Amino acid sequence: MLAFDALARALIGIAVESVEAAAQPVTLTQFRLLLVLDGLGRVPSSRLAAALGSNASSVTRLADKLEAHGYLTRGGDEHNRSIVTVAVTGAGHDLVSDVLAHRHHTLGTILDQLSPTERTAATRSATRIADLAAGRTPAVTGPVPL
């Protein structure tokens, strides 16, 4: 268990460092919202909250800050004026892409130090662990994106 705890800390550290290295850094929580929203496209804010496993008021506060920085935009539903939709802007998509590219580079640098056999075994194990963890995360299909 200690090895997996150390691995979890290392991966979280890489995720945090990748967000902090962005040209226009955001908080890790704000990045999670942008990452999920970038995958969902324009959705009602309630759907985004459900995908994050969060409450609507938390999403509203995060969206306020991200909208002020130009990373997301709000809109409405033409059939129901009470529904507020949110979508990632081009700047928000670029931020997500930059953070993920930085993360992938860092992980690649680490994985390149493994032998081909070790890398194959690590990939197989990581995939299996991620699949098992996905079934344990409440209210989300898969692990909560980071």
Side-chain angles (χ1 to χ4, degrees):
M1 282 305 218
L2 293 177
F4 286 104
D5 189 48
L7 177 60
R9 286 193 310 272
L11 292 173
I12 291 168
I14 291 168
V16 169
E17 192 273 331
S18 296
V19 171
E20 290 174 348
Q24 298 295 321
V26 293
T27 67
L28 193 57
T29 304
Q30 291 169 336
F31 176 74
R32 276 187 61 235
L33 184 147
L34 288 173
L35 178 63
V36 170
L37 186 56
D38 194 49
L40 292 173
R42 179 173 293 281
V43 294
S45 57
S46 59
R47 180 163 175 223
L48 176 59
L52 290 167
S54 183
N55 61 49
S57 63
S58 294
V59 168
T60 298
R61 284 190 300 277
L62 287 170
D64 288 344
K65 293 175 184 174
L66 292 168
E67 185 177 35
H69 286 86
Y71 295 134
L72 72 76
T73 184
R74 288 188 170 106
D77 183 311
E78 64 186 49
H79 303 293
N80 185 340
R81 292 179 47 151
S82 67
I83 294 176
V84 175
T85 61
V86 288
V88 173
T89 63
H93 175 76
D94 290 347
L95 177 72
V96 169
S97 295
D98 290 349
V99 169
L100 292 179
H102 186 278
R103 184 189 309 177
H104 295 162
H105 174 76
T106 301
L107 289 169
T109 300
I110 293 166
L111 293 172
D112 285 346
Q113 297 175 54
L114 298 176
S115 72
T117 302
E118 289 172 320
R119 191 173 181 146
T120 299
T123 299
R124 190 174 307 123
S125 295
T127 300
R128 178 73 173 130
I129 291 167
D131 288 346
L132 291 169
R136 299 187 49 84
T137 305
V140 180
T141 54
V144 177
L146 187 62

